[in-house]
Amino acid sequence: MTPKLINDDEWKLGLYHGRFTVDDTFKALTTMCNSWMDFAKPFIKEAIPYLSEEQLKPIYEATSTNSPHVMYSMWIAMSANDYRDVLENITVPTFIIYGEKSTLYSSETARYLNSNIPNSEIVAFENCTHFLVLENPQKLVEIVKEAASR
């Protein structure tokens, strides 16, 4: 994730590797409001670009069960907030995990988080996208076990 979803002249580590703007947020929210799946399908395709349409079908089916109102509200909350100024207040040991092939967030975003969250550590998931939990669940289990043992 990123501490600030929307990119602007001074922030380029938000969604879509620095290409997601306020205008894009309004377009996304409008699409979600009109049809949740008209937003979700292209978003999922971009987030996991290597999957075929056949492989995407069960993900679309599962996604279609989400409440559009909840998803819309969550998107507003993510878009409206900027958490950069509170990162230094995170006091627990923190693993910053990201997929090296993520189309949503960059390694630069992970390094920014790492440099601003005390006692944090970056864990890259090779050959994974934003859906790294599904792509490499065993590595995630290992990371969670390591965090719990500290």
Side-chain angles (χ1 to χ4, degrees):
M1 214 41 200
T2 177
K4 183 174 187 266
L5 198 73
I6 297 174
N7 300 281
D8 54 35
D9 292 338
E10 298 169 8
W11 176 253
K12 298 293 182 202
L13 299 177
L15 188 61
Y16 295 131
H17 294 260
R19 297 186 325 266
F20 193 76
T21 66
V22 170
D23 288 342
D24 295 322
T25 294
F26 289 124
K27 288 175 190 171
L29 288 169
T30 299
T31 303
M32 278 185 214
C33 194
N34 291 328
S35 170
W36 161 237
M37 289 307 293
D38 283 350
F39 168 81
K41 282 184 176 182
F43 182 83
I44 292 166
K45 271 184 157 179
E46 184 153 357
I48 325 170
Y50 62 86
L51 293 183
S52 68
E53 281 300 317
E54 192 63 30
Q55 292 170 312
L56 288 167
K57 281 183 184 178
I59 297 170
Y60 293 157
E61 288 173 18
T63 303
S64 72
T65 65
N66 290 327
S67 165
H69 304 294
V70 170
M71 301 309 291
Y72 183 86
S73 297
M74 186 174 71
W75 197 271
I76 289 172
M78 290 188 313
S79 299
N81 291 294
D82 180 352
Y83 296 102
R84 291 176 292 178
D85 63 338
V86 298
L87 295 176
E88 65 186 23
N89 298 329
I90 298 173
T91 59
V92 296
T94 304
F95 284 110
I96 299 162
I97 62 173
Y98 78 98
E100 286 185 342
K101 292 188 174 184
S102 175
T103 57
L104 304 183
Y105 305 104
S106 67
S107 60
E108 290 84 8
T109 305
R111 285 192 297 274
Y112 175 87
L113 290 168
N114 180 239
S115 68
N116 286 278
I117 299 173
N119 201 19
S120 66
E121 180 180 332
I122 295 175
V123 180
F125 278 55
E126 293 178 21
N127 299 314
C128 291
T129 66
H130 190 64
F131 284 72
L132 55 92
V133 172
L134 299 174
E135 295 165 318
N136 194 341
Q138 185 56 43
K139 183 170 181 173
L140 181 66
V141 167
E142 291 168 14
I143 299 300
V144 170
K145 284 181 179 178
E146 184 179 338
S149 71
R150 290 186 179 184

